[in-house]
Amino acid sequence: MGIRLAEPLRRLIRLGEAAGLRETARVLMSAAPPVWLTLAVRSGKVFRDYIPEADLKALRWLEPDLDAMLLAIGTERNHARQEEVRQILGDAAEAAVLSALHREHRDAIQVSRISDAYGYDIEIRGETLDRIEVKGAGPSTGGSFHLTRHEFETCRRYGAGWRVIQVVFTASAFTATSLDRSHVDEMLQLSSAAIVDMVPPDTPRFVWEDSALLKPPVELWLPTGLEPGDDFQAIGFRDCAEV
């Protein structure tokens, strides 16, 4: 059985010596970013004042491409971090809604654990099927959320049988290592009709494909009356202050 090299390593072999060394530096810094990278790369710029002089001197052989390389690595890392934070926030929000529904003895199932193909996160089974798309938020982002194209199409298909519930966490949730019901500030809901009214139709010149950021008027958000049970627990958001 042979050894198969990962694509970054195969790319190094195809490059010449100088280009190969630069690519090696990029691969190594991507795999183990320096501790100062988050401070040095912000808002689409490189701030060299945050790079220790010894490190900056050691990296000067990468000039004139150093800033471009650091920016690319930092942007890639920030994107990965944001995805990780969104996942943690979303998981906690779903757990809070599920706990609140079970507290009311509702027959609720977390279908997001089965597949993303559903286009929503939780099903409540009863005389009719209630489909809930759960969104998590912090104090500064409450009232807005990202909606994927698939979620929107599902919203439009099921109409009144689909809705959004947003879980807004308290500021203290973002310094906590674990969460309980005291970290949930409120749970608000938004109807599918409100979402359909907000999203403009596709035109020959404009089509949104992946996701859109929605900021509904405050008056469209309605209380759910839901509260997590005493058994609610989730991973806290320490070091996730950007949420």
Side-chain angles (χ1 to χ4, degrees), residues 175-192:
T175 57
T177 55
S178 62
L179 307 180
D180 57 39
R181 62 181 298 177
S182 71
H183 293 104
V184 175
D185 185 27
E186 57 184 348
M187 293 185 179
L188 302 173
Q189 60 185 335
L190 186 70
S191 70
S192 59

Side-chain angles (χ1 to χ4, degrees), residues 135-150:
K135 302 295 183 182
S140 63
T141 57
S144 64
F145 60 94
H146 283 88
L147 189 74
T148 68
R149 182 68 191 231
H150 177 52

Side-chain angles (χ1 to χ4, degrees), residues 98-117:
L98 206 62
S99 173
L101 293 171
H102 287 165
R103 180 172 178 265
E104 296 189 349
H105 306 289
R106 308 289 295 277
D107 185 8
I109 298 176
Q110 192 176 8
V111 297
S112 63
R113 292 295 181 92
I114 302 172
S115 173
D116 291 335

Side-chain angles (χ1 to χ4, degrees), residues 130-143:
D130 188 10
R131 302 167 181 87
I132 298 173
E133 171 62 27
V134 179
K135 302 295 183 182
S140 63
T141 57

Side-chain angles (χ1 to χ4, degrees), residues 197-218:
D197 285 344
M198 279 186 294
V199 176
D202 293 339
T203 71
R205 295 186 178 184
F206 175 80
V207 177
W208 67 282
E209 296 181 349
D210 296 325
S211 67
L213 176 63
L214 274 62
K215 298 181 178 181
V218 174

